[in-house]
């Protein structure tokens, strides 16, 4: 239909998902949700002009309307000389294992409710005798996506995942705090509700009574959740080829240069068995792969989709990503992985004379300058190899280029976070402000 | 739409629940993004479907459907009601949902509806702004310009008898130029968004937003990174709004009370700041991004006096929270779309102006920092910790605005920061923003006058 309306190339992306979730507040179950979502996004190309439209249904009339709108938008666009073509079907697809777990897809709602009760009970055990309120949730989802284009691409894949979270709040006479922990996986057998409830409650207790410190230059230990934000978003976003091509990234023309400490190795691996970011094709239907990003501190490559790869005349890395059917392809990581070094988090801390531990932060750098000013969402003060106390109103300031160069230790306590797979690491020196 | 909603409510009640509500949405959006004079994105969407909730004895269930037939609505509704009944056995706290009912058909009056403006005209507007930013100075090496529009028709009904038809219409223009000099690169973002038709894109301010953003990006080339430390901080209206929103508004959302997740839990009716401090949330302002006549549960909206003369006064309510806390509902329940449940949210949130002249306020500060423009901010109400980042600022030296600084962050605690506010300006401005909570984004506005916070930690390199 798109071709009939005048499009030279066309692509349809169909996304379908079903998610079931149960949530608890104040230590008791409160609500359940069942969400089914299916829609289609249509990309059309007319002489280097691109249009896109999506609709939240799959009915014939709505899809027809989307195609018409997409073509109309393409016609009104200003041509992009750098656009070459949508991907074609010249390559075969890899086999990626562990993406679909029948046990998750068919998980009865009773089992979900049972998990949440186990999380809360485990948390309660740790918090016994205190004033607390525990929020928790479990969401299982299964879905499929399909990409079809006029150049012969036609692929689809089904995937499942489950996430559990626990958020205990503890009140003392003159203090109140909260922490959280989560587990996310494609493999139901990896779930451990008791461990989650226990760990979240212990984390919450550990941050009671936070203090400020005298600021200054000191070491910063990033535990996996903090590392996941700073590297998984703050660095991964900077090596998107689109940002680099547009001169908007703090990483520029640095291919083959030493941009990080030789202790740092990073890969992006879309083929990892059961990986959360794993898939056999990317959001444009291009075959997935495993790519080296940093090897002993040297920048080995950027993340590409078909547009940026065509523009640079390089091999597509298959990193096109979309928010399901409701958007055009941008670029993001699949499974972004820091290779483990040696030592547990405790061992890394024991080597610090004076510094702070960033367990978690929500802050990202200015992607153009690389300047990072991160509040320690959950932070601790370290002196002479030991954690002294939790921190409040404390910020870490450093430029990302310095942060990468100053990584002096990488641990082996690897964990899967929402943004990447990473162990803890130590940044030798950064500016800490607290008050 | 009404017959579909009533079919769903009827099916839910027949299945055995005590309350049910339905939102049927039909929205369209267009987004046009230009990079360096070229169309990078040109997107249209239609969101069409219904969200159905069922409730009994403290147990909620929710589901959505895009099958907008009577049979489809009934089937989804029965399944939601069954899910609520299954959840009922496991809930600990029992309560009922009550509230006033409303019936209204609100037609939004805009001067230039989006569908009366051609796609070519919109494309030309984006191109003009994109060119404007690039032509401002040869050091502008890259431009990004985004135009967005949303128009929605929403029908809301519940089993208490509420029947509301609502409309919304929001345009937005964003200019993001990058400036470069040697290896120094700086990026700036400016945006304008209101509740209106295309006419608000034709104001002088909107038509010159590319120049404004480009000028700031060029200025940033000669800025310095701020030195971290404790400062007397003067906030501009944009940032004052963010502090008000992050450091207070979120903690006043009433769903925090049943969950015991706010540091304000025991503070209702008590002093939380100086007596010259008032913070309001007002969805009844005309033409603002966060405005709506009724909320997404169909409750008529009212101005909320979150802080009045230093006293914590109003909470932001949904029907559930006003029922459970036995307080007056004030229409603060909003959803991102039919795919989400309504939860208490802010609308247009601001600090009420007082009497300081802005120049006198800066002169009186001697040594400090003036923070301007907003990058982002967030908070954790249960802990009281918040942080936000200004896009730029100026050191205040000897009572004068001096060196420009960039990317300045401020961290603080909700219960500590309000007490540190010692001077509030008489100027006033609101800026458009988007607020995220529980995975849902809704349009908001934030602002106020200039204001000063004494001795706050500011992060730097």
């Amino acid at each position: 239909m798109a071709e009939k309306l005048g499009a030279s190339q066309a692509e349809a992306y169909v996304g379908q998902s079903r998610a079931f979730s149960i949530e608890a507040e104040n230590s008791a179950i409160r609500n359940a949700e069942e969400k089914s979502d299916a829609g289609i996004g249509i990309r059309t190309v007319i002489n280097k002009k691109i249009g896109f439209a999506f609709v939240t249904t799959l009915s014939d009339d709505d899809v027809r309307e989307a195609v018409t709108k997409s073509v109309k938008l393409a016609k009104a666009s200003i041509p992009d000389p750098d656009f070459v073509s949508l991907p074609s079907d010249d390559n075969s697809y890899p086999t990626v294992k562990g993406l679909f777990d029948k046990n998750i897809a068919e998980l009865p709602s009773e089992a979900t409710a049972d998990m949440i009760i186990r999380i809360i009970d485990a948390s309660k055990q740790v918090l016994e005798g205190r004033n607390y309120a525990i929020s928790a949730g479990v969401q299982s989802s299964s879905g499929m996506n399909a990409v079809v284009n006029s150049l012969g691409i036609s692929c689809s894949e089904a995937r499942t995942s489950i996430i559990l979270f626990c958020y205990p709040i503890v009140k003392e006479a003159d203090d109140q705090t909260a922490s959280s922990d989560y587990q996310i996986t494609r493999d139901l057998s990896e779930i451990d509700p008791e461990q989650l409830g226990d760990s979240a409650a212990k984390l919450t207790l550990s941050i009671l009574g936070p203090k400020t410190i005298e600021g200054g230059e000191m070491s910063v230990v990033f535990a996996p959740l903090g590392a996941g934000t700073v590297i998984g978003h703050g660095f991964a976003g900077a090596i998107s080829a689109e940002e680099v091509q547009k001169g908007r990234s703090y990483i520029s023309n640095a291919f083959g240069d030493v941009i990080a400490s030789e202790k740092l190795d990073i890969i992006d691996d879309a083929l990892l068995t059961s990986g959360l970011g794993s898939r056999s094709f990317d959001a444009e239907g291009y075959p997935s792969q495993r790519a080296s990003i940093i090897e002993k501190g040297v920048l080995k490559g950027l993340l590409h989709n078909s547009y940026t790869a065509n523009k640079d005349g390089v091999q597509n890395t298959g990193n096109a990503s979309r928010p399901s059917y409701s958007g055009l392809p941008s670029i993001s990581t699949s499974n972004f992985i820091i290779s483990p070094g040696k030592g547990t988090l405790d061992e890394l801390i024991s080597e610090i004379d004076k510094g702070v531990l960033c367990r978690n932060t929500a802050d990202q750098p200015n992607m153009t300058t690389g300047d990072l000013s991160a509040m320690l969402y959950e932070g601790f003060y370290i002196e002479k190899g030991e954690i002294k106390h939790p921190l409040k109103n404390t910020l870490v300031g450093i430029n990302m280029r310095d942060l990468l160069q100053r990584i002096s230790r990488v641990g082996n306590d690897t964990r899967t976070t929402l943004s990447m797979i990473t162990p803890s690491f130590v940044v030798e020196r950064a500016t800490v402000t607290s008050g | 739409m009404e017959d579909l909603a009533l079919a769903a409510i009827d099916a839910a009640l027949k299945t055995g629940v005590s309350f049910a509500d339905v939102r049927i949405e039909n929205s369209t959006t267009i987004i046009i993004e230009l990079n360096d004079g070229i169309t990078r994105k040109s997107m249209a969407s239609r969101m069409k479907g219904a969200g159905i909730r069922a409730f009994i004895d403290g147990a909620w269930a929710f589901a959505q459907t895009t099958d907008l037939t009577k049979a489809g609505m009934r089937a989804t509704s029965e399944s939601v009601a069954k899910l609520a009944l299954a959840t009922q056995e496991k809930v600990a706290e029992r309560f009922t949902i009550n509230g006033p009912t409303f019936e209204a058909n609100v037609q939004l009056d805009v001067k230039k509806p989006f569908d009366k403006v051609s796609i070519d005209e919109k494309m030309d507007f984006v191109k003009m702004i994109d060119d404007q930013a690039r032509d401002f100075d040869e050091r502008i090496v890259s431009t990004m310009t985004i135009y967005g529009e949303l128009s929605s028709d929403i029908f809301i009904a519940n089993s208490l008898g509420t029947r509301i038809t609502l409309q919304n219409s929001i345009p937005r223009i964003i200019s993001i130029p990058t400036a470069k000099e040697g290896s120094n690169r700086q990026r700036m973002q400016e945006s304008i968004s209101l509740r209106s038709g295309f006419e608000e894109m034709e104001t002088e301010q909107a038509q010159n937003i590319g120049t404004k953003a480009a000028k700031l990006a060029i200025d940033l080339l000669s800025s310095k990174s701020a030195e971290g430390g404790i400062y007397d901080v003067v906030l501009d209206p944009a940032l004052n709004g963010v502090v008000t929103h992050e450091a207070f508004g979120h903690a006043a959302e009433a769903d925090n009370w049943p969950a015991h997740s706010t540091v304000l839990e025991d503070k209702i009716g008590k002093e939380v700041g100086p007596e010259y401090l008032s913070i309001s949330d007002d969805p009844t302002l005309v033409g603002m991004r966060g405005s709506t006549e009724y909320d997404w549960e169909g409750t008529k909206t009212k101005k909320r006096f979150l802080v009045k003369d230093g006293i914590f006064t109003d909470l932001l309510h949904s029907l559930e929270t006003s029922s459970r806390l036995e307080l007056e509902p004030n229409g603060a329940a909003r959803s991102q779309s039919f795919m989400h449940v309504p939860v208490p949210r802010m609308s247009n949130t601001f600090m009420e102006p007082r009497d300081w002249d802005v120049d006198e306020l800066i002169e009186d500060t001697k040594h400090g920092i003036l923070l301007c423009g907003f990058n982002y901010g967030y908070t954790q109400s249960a802990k009281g910790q918040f942080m936000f980042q200004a896009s730029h600022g100026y050191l205040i030296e000897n009572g004068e605005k001096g060196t420009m600084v960039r990317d300045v962050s401020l961290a603080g605690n909700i219960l500590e920061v309000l007490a540190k506010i010692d001077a509030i300006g008489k100027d006033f401005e609101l800026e458009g923003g988007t607020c995220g909570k529980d995975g849902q984004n809704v349009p908001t506005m934030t602002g106020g006058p200039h204001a000063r916070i004494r001795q706050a930690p500011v992060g730097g390199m």
Side-chain angles (χ1 to χ4, degrees), chain A residues 13 43-44 114 143 237-238 255 264 268 281-282 324 366 378 382:
Chain A
Y13 182 108
R43 178 157 59 147
T44 55
D114 176 56
F255 184 73
L264 193 65
D268 185 67
F281 55 88
D282 76 358
S324 185
N366 175 318
E378 282 175 25
I382 305 168

Side-chain angles (χ1 to χ4, degrees), chain B residues 315-329:
Chain B
L315 313 187
L316 297 162
H317 284 294
S318 62
L319 282 179
E320 175 184 341
T321 66
S322 58
S323 301
R324 292 178 81 172
L325 301 171
E326 295 177 7
L327 292 166
E328 192 79 8

Side-chain angles (χ1 to χ4, degrees), chain B residues 240-261:
Chain B
N240 187 3
V242 175
V243 173
T244 306
H245 178 106
E246 299 297 346
F248 199 84
H250 275 296
E253 290 162 345
D255 49 344
N256 285 316
W257 269 256
H260 302 292
S261 54

Side-chain angles (χ1 to χ4, degrees), chain A residues 30 32 34-36 52-54 56 65 78 171 176 242 247-249 363 366 368 373 377 392-393, chain B residues 39-40 42 44-46 48 60 62 64 144 185 187 265 320 339 376 378 383 385 407 409 416:
Chain A
R30 177 179 172 270
E34 198 166 5
K35 286 190 170 182
S36 297
F52 178 81
F54 78 84
T56 58
E65 185 197 59
I78 302 157
K171 294 181 190 203
Q176 166 169 349
E242 173 145 24
R248 296 192 294 237
S249 168
D363 294 305
N366 175 318
T368 306
S373 181
Y377 209 56
K392 68 172 177 181
N393 303 349
Chain B
T39 311
R40 265 305 275 147
S42 168
S45 77
R46 179 175 293 283
K48 200 164 89 174
W60 282 106
F62 173 81
Q64 70 195 44
M144 183 194 278
R185 263 172 306 142
R187 190 173 175 183
E265 187 169 358
E320 175 184 341
M339 297 187 187
Y376 67 89
Y378 57 88
K383 237 169 120 176
Q385 186 87 63
D407 296 327
S409 300
E416 293 165 5

Side-chain angles (χ1 to χ4, degrees), chain A residues 19-223:
Chain A
F20 180 78
S21 61
I22 291 193
E23 284 186 19
E25 78 175 16
N26 195 18
S27 319
I29 286 177
R30 177 179 172 270
N31 61 301
E33 264 184 42
E34 198 166 5
K35 286 190 170 182
S36 297
D37 182 22
I40 185 167
I42 309 284
R43 178 157 59 147
T44 55
V45 186
I46 306 173
N47 304 327
K48 295 181 181 280
K49 300 192 290 190
I50 298 144
F52 178 81
F54 78 84
V55 58
T56 58
T57 79
L58 292 174
S59 82
D60 287 353
D61 285 352
D62 291 333
V63 175
R64 246 179 247 123
E65 185 197 59
V67 175
T68 311
K69 275 189 186 169
S70 178
V71 171
K72 199 174 138 196
L73 284 167
K75 283 180 179 162
S77 293
I78 302 157
D80 185 345
D82 292 322
F83 177 86
V84 179
S85 171
L86 297 176
S88 53
D89 71 333
D90 307 334
N91 306 284
S92 60
Y93 293 103
T95 307
V96 185
K97 293 189 187 125
L99 299 184
F100 190 87
D101 183 346
K102 209 169 129 228
N103 295 323
I104 293 179
E106 295 170 6
L107 192 68
S109 58
E110 283 299 314
T112 319
D114 176 56
M115 277 180 204
I116 205 164
I117 289 165
R118 284 162 65 194
I119 295 170
I120 292 171
D121 285 348
S123 222
K124 276 181 175 172
Q125 275 194 9
V126 178
L127 302 175
E128 211 185 310
R130 292 173 183 271
N131 185 3
Y132 62 83
I134 303 158
S135 295
V138 177
Q139 180 177 68
S140 61
S141 34
S142 58
M144 64 77 70
N145 70 332
V147 188
V148 178
N149 77 20
S150 59
L151 300 176
I153 291 247
S154 174
C155 46
S156 74
E157 196 163 68
R159 303 175 198 104
T160 52
S161 66
I162 183 164
I163 181 164
L164 286 69
F165 78 88
C166 179
Y167 182 69
I169 299 158
V170 173
K171 294 181 190 203
E172 306 267 272
D174 51 0
D175 190 22
Q176 166 169 349
T177 200
S179 182
S180 66
D181 206 356
Y182 61 83
Q183 292 174 354
I184 180 164
T185 180
R186 293 194 186 281
D187 178 358
L188 191 64
S189 67
E190 281 187 357
I191 286 298
D192 186 344
E194 279 80 16
Q195 193 273 330
L196 174 64
D198 182 77
S199 129
K202 285 179 178 158
L203 283 165
T204 306
L205 294 182
S206 75
I207 57 171
L208 275 169
K211 296 177 198 163
T212 57
I213 51 167
E214 183 92 10
E217 297 264 305
M218 59 188 86
S219 302
V220 181
V221 183
F222 286 92

Side-chain angles (χ1 to χ4, degrees), chain B residues 89-142:
Chain B
E89 300 160 17
K90 299 185 191 77
V91 301
E93 204 173 326
R94 315 219 170 250
F95 54 91
T96 51
I97 297 296
N98 256 309
T101 59
F102 299 95
E103 281 189 58
N105 183 342
V106 185
Q107 298 295 314
L108 185 67
D109 190 23
V110 300
K111 291 199 183 80
K112 271 199 167 182
F114 298 131
D115 57 9
K116 296 282 180 289
V117 180
S118 74
I119 187 71
D120 293 316
E121 195 175 326
K122 289 166 189 166
M123 195 70 73
D124 288 345
F125 169 55
V126 190
K127 174 89 165 58
M128 188 272 286
I129 298 294
D130 202 65
D131 290 347
Q132 191 183 78
R134 207 171 32 259
D135 293 344
F136 177 77
D137 191 296
E138 59 186 18
R139 289 169 291 174
I140 299 290
V141 291
S142 176

Side-chain angles (χ1 to χ4, degrees), chain B residues 397-448:
Chain B
E397 292 143 356
N398 299 317
E400 276 176 34
K401 204 169 126 179
T403 315
M404 189 180 194
V405 291
R406 60 181 178 250
D407 296 327
V408 213
S409 300
L410 192 149
N413 187 283
I414 295 170
L415 294 177
E416 293 165 5
V417 76
L418 296 186
K420 290 183 179 176
I421 296 171
D422 80 332
I424 299 173
K426 59 184 177 192
D427 57 323
F428 188 81
E429 222 174 286
L430 284 176
E431 282 215 10
T434 297
C435 169
K437 172 182 171 185
D438 299 350
Q440 299 193 46
N441 290 321
V442 297
T444 54
M445 288 196 95
T446 52

Side-chain angles (χ1 to χ4, degrees), chain B residues 197-218:
Chain B
F198 195 73
E199 66 272 12
E200 285 293 342
M201 298 289 102
E202 294 173 336
T203 62
E204 200 184 321
Q205 234 193 343
Q207 294 277 320
N208 291 293
I209 194 167
T211 304
K212 187 180 176 196
K215 181 175 183 316
L216 278 167
I218 295 293

